[in-house]
Amino acid sequence: MRHVSACLLLLCLMLVSGAAQTPAYRPAWHFSPQKNWTNDPNGLVYFQGEHHLFFQYNPFGDQWGHMSWGHAVSRDLVHWQELPLALAEENGVMIFTGSVVVDRTNSSGFCKPAPCLVAIYTGHESTRETQHLAYSNDRGRTWTKFPGNPVLDRQRKDFRDPHVLWHAPSRQWIMTLAVPDQHKVEFYASPDLRRWQQVGEFGNAGSRAGIWECPSLNVIGDRWLLTVGINPGHVAGGSGTQYFIGKFNGQQFENANPAGQVLWLDHGSDNYCTIPFHGTPRVNMLGWMSNWQYANKLPTSPWRGQMTLAREVDLIETPAGWRVRQTPILPRLQAPLLRGEALSKRLQTLDPEQPFILDLEIEAGDAQEFGLLIRGLQLSYDARNQQLVLDRNQQLPKSPEFRKRMTALLRLDKGRLRMRLVVDRISLEVFAEGTEPVALTALFFPDPDAKSMRWTGNVASVQGRVQQKR
Ligand code: FRU
C-alpha cells in the first residue's frame, strides 16, 4: 500500500513538474545544466587549471526568467562539473550576460591578494540596463557584488552584455558593449574596472536585420576578431552570430572587409552568443546551442538548453578574404583510417544512440550530391550549387520554426572536401573545409525508430576515421 502511494506521489510530481524526463536526450560531450533553463554562456575564463563556464540560468524553472548566473568547471573543456549558483537575481535586478576577467595586478582593488576574478555583467531592470561588478577570491566559488554598482549607467533601456579584455598596448581594460536597437557596439576604457569612459564605437556594417547582442573582441595574431550576436536575421533564421575581422587600436575597430559584407560564424541555426575564454593562450570560443525562435519549446526535461563544443579559433587567408576557422576541442581521435566500403560498413555498425566523431576526406569526382544520413537527418553536399545542406524537415519537434533546411556556400578545393562531424545525442556540429572553412551547428531530435546511419552518394573516393563514445 505504501509502495502504491509512493508511486502515485511520483506520478503527481511528474504531472505537476510538466513533461516526462528525457534522459536519452542528455548530451554527453556538451554542457547542459542538471535541471532548468539556460541560455547564453557568460564569463568564460581559464584560471588556475580550471575553465569556468557561467551561464544564463533560471534557478526556478525551465523557461526564461529570474536570470542569474549558473556555474560549471572543466579541466578539458569536454567534461563539466556543475557548481552552485554563482550570482543570483536580487531586488528585481536580473543578472544578464557578461564576462569574467583575471585581475593579475589587483587593478580593481578587489583581490586579497592578486590574482582574483572579477565579473562584469549587465543588471537588467524593466526600464534600464546598467553595468555591474562582482568579485571572487576563492576561484569563483563565492562572489561579492560591488556595493558601488552600477559602474556604468547611460540611462538606456537596452545596453548590455559587456565583454572585457586587457588591452596590453594601451595598458587599460577595454569593454565592448551592445546597443541592441541601434545595431552598434560601443567601446569603453578603464584603468581599474570601476571607472569607465567611452572611447569609440562600431556599427553601420554587416547584418543589421535584427538587434545586436553579446559582442566579443579578441586579438588573434596581428588581427582582431569582433563577434556580434544578431536576433533575428541570421542566415538560418532567428538568432546567430556574425563576425568582423580588422584592427583595434584601443579606441576604434577598423573593419578590413567591405562594410556591406556579412560573415557568419556558424551557418546552422543553433549557435548563439558565442564568446571566448579569457586567459587562454589560444582563442577558444563556445556558444549557446539553441535559437530564440524555438528555445522555449525544446522537448528536453528536466533541463532546457545546452552549450556548443568549445572550439579553437584562428584566422586564415582564403581566396575570398580573411575568415574564421574553428577546430572543435575533443579527445584525440585514435581510430584507424578506413577507406571506401570499409568506412561505409563501419558507419552502419555504429550504435545510433551513442555520440561519435567522424573525420572525412572526400574527392567528389562527378558526384552531384553526396553526404550522410544520420538517424533521419540528411547532411549533404550539393555540387551543382556548391552548398553544404542540412535538412531538418523530417525532425521533431513539429513547429515550423524548427523544421528547416540550412545551407552554406562551400567551394570544393580542387574537387576535395574535408569534414569533421561531431554527433552527440541531440546535436550535430559540422566543421567543413573546401577553399573556405564553414561551421554548421544544429540540434536534432531523432525519432527513436530512426536508427540508420549511412553514407549516401557515389564519390570518386572517401576515407576517414570514426570514433564512438565508449
Ligand atoms: C541574448 C540575451 C542577452 C541577454 C540575455 C538575457 O540571448 O538576450 O542579450 O543578456 O540573453 O538572458
Side-chain angles (χ1 to χ4, degrees):
M1 190 57 199
R2 196 184 284 164
H3 182 69
V4 171
S5 41
C7 284
L8 276 174
L9 180 67
L10 192 67
L11 194 67
C12 286
L13 281 175
M14 276 172 68
L15 288 175
V16 170
S17 71
Q21 302 208 348
T22 56
Y25 287 161
R26 176 67 80 180
W29 283 331
H30 296 82
F31 173 76
S32 59
Q34 278 311 307
K35 59 176 187 176
N36 295 336
W37 166 274
T38 184
N39 54 291
D40 319 346
N42 298 153
L44 302 182
V45 63
Y46 179 73
F47 186 55
Q48 298 182 343
E50 291 175 319
H51 296 91
H52 294 261
L53 161 63
F54 300 91
F55 48 92
Q56 285 288 280
Y57 187 60
N58 180 357
F60 305 109
D62 64 2
Q63 298 285 319
W64 187 90
H66 301 288
M67 296 324 293
S68 302
W69 278 21
H71 188 195
V73 287
S74 169
R75 293 202 173 264
D76 60 4
L77 290 171
V78 180
H79 302 94
W80 292 95
Q81 182 197 355
E82 194 171 342
L83 296 177
L85 198 67
L87 289 167
E89 169 195 40
E90 205 176 311
N91 303 329
V93 181
M94 289 205 254
I95 316 283
F96 268 20
T97 284
S99 42
V100 169
V101 295
V102 181
D103 184 358
R104 297 189 193 282
T105 59
N106 196 18
S107 68
S108 63
F110 295 142
C111 307
K112 295 184 202 117
C116 68
L117 295 176
V118 182
I120 307 97
Y121 60 90
T122 298
H124 171 91
E125 291 162 89
S126 57
T127 55
R128 212 163 61 130
E129 288 183 334
T130 51
Q131 315 317 319
H132 297 233
L133 303 179
Y135 55 92
S136 169
N137 275 294
D138 59 358
R139 296 165 61 240
R141 272 36 181 198
T142 59
W143 291 84
T144 307
K145 289 178 186 151
F146 175 44
N149 283 333
V151 291
L152 182 60
D153 180 359
R154 307 278 322 245
Q155 305 286 322
R156 285 182 177 142
K157 182 171 181 296
D158 290 297
F159 182 48
R160 59 178 175 268
D161 306 341
H163 178 256
V164 177
L165 70 116
W166 176 250
H167 186 251
S170 62
R171 302 196 48 75
Q172 58 187 344
W173 298 101
I174 295 291
M175 168 158 68
T176 308
L177 269 157
V179 192
D181 48 350
Q182 294 179 33
H183 316 281
K184 67 173 183 182
V185 297
E186 290 180 344
F187 303 113
Y188 291 80
S190 170
D192 57 7
L193 296 165
R194 299 180 186 213
R195 292 165 294 155
W196 294 96
Q197 219 184 5
Q198 190 178 350
V199 288
E201 66 173 42
F202 176 77
N204 247 326
S207 172
R208 302 175 341 128
I211 56 168
W212 283 22
E213 302 182 310
C214 310
S216 87
L217 180 68
N218 246 278
V219 63
I220 305 181
D222 59 358
R223 288 185 164 68
W224 287 78
L225 172 67
L226 174 66
T227 66
V228 178
I230 181 166
N231 179 33
H234 183 244
V235 60
S239 47
T241 300
Q242 61 175 330
Y243 69 87
F244 305 92
I245 295 174
K247 299 266 181 219
F248 180 72
N249 63 6
Q251 298 187 329
Q252 296 290 353
F253 179 84
E254 193 188 314
N255 189 3
N257 288 312
Q261 184 169 39
V262 181
L263 297 171
W264 299 112
L265 195 65
D266 198 303
H267 286 75
S269 61
D270 298 295
N271 188 352
Y272 193 49
C273 283
T274 318
I275 54 166
F277 282 84
H278 182 86
T280 50
R282 311 288 309 253
V283 174
N284 298 330
M285 297 184 84
L286 169 155
W288 175 40
M289 201 193 268
S290 193
N291 191 311
W292 281 116
Q293 276 185 320
Y294 45 70
N296 283 295
K297 298 185 199 158
L298 294 179
T300 58
S301 181
W303 78 99
R304 191 172 274 128
Q306 67 175 83
M307 301 301 156
T308 67
L309 287 173
R311 298 133 184 227
E312 188 174 316
V313 168
D314 56 331
L315 305 180
I316 58 166
E317 195 167 11
T318 75
W322 284 85
R323 293 290 184 273
V324 162
R325 178 171 58 194
Q326 300 171 61
T327 310
I329 297 171
L330 282 165
R332 247 175 95 79
L333 258 188
Q334 284 167 343
L337 186 69
L338 301 173
R339 289 171 213 279
E341 204 42 35
L343 179 67
S344 197
K345 282 214 177 95
R346 175 75 186 102
L347 288 176
Q348 287 168 35
T349 59
L350 289 175
D351 176 350
E353 268 141 43
Q354 291 305 323
F356 63 93
I357 308 166
L358 174 62
D359 269 3
L360 290 172
E361 272 187 56
I362 302 152
E363 222 179 299
D366 300 330
Q368 289 303 311
E369 195 161 331
F370 56 88
L372 282 153
L373 184 71
I374 308 160
R375 306 192 64 190
L377 184 73
Q378 181 69 54
L379 172 72
S380 47
Y381 184 73
D382 170 354
R384 203 166 302 127
N385 296 307
Q386 301 189 307
Q387 274 187 341
L388 185 68
V389 182
L390 184 74
D391 191 341
R392 204 167 63 177
N393 276 314
Q394 303 309 316
Q395 299 292 311
L396 302 166
K398 293 199 163 100
S399 74
E401 302 91 355
F402 193 78
R403 296 193 154 195
K404 55 173 82 173
R405 195 170 171 270
M406 301 162 214
T407 58
L409 176 68
L410 179 58
R411 299 179 197 90
L412 299 180
D413 185 8
K414 303 191 190 78
R416 292 205 182 89
L417 180 62
R418 280 192 292 147
M419 282 207 282
R420 168 166 271 203
L421 269 61
V422 184
V423 180
D424 202 337
R425 300 218 166 84
I426 53 167
S427 65
L428 166 68
E429 280 153 291
V430 184
F431 304 92
E433 201 163 340
T435 59
E436 290 172 47
V438 162
L440 193 151
T441 301
L443 291 170
F444 74 111
F445 296 89
D447 184 327
D449 296 331
K451 303 246 184 252
S452 168
M453 287 194 290
R454 60 186 160 80
W455 175 256
T456 59
N458 276 324
V459 291
S461 84
V462 52
Q463 59 177 29
R465 294 174 203 273
V466 54
Q467 188 160 308
Q468 186 142 44
K469 184 172 164 37
R470 280 184 283 266

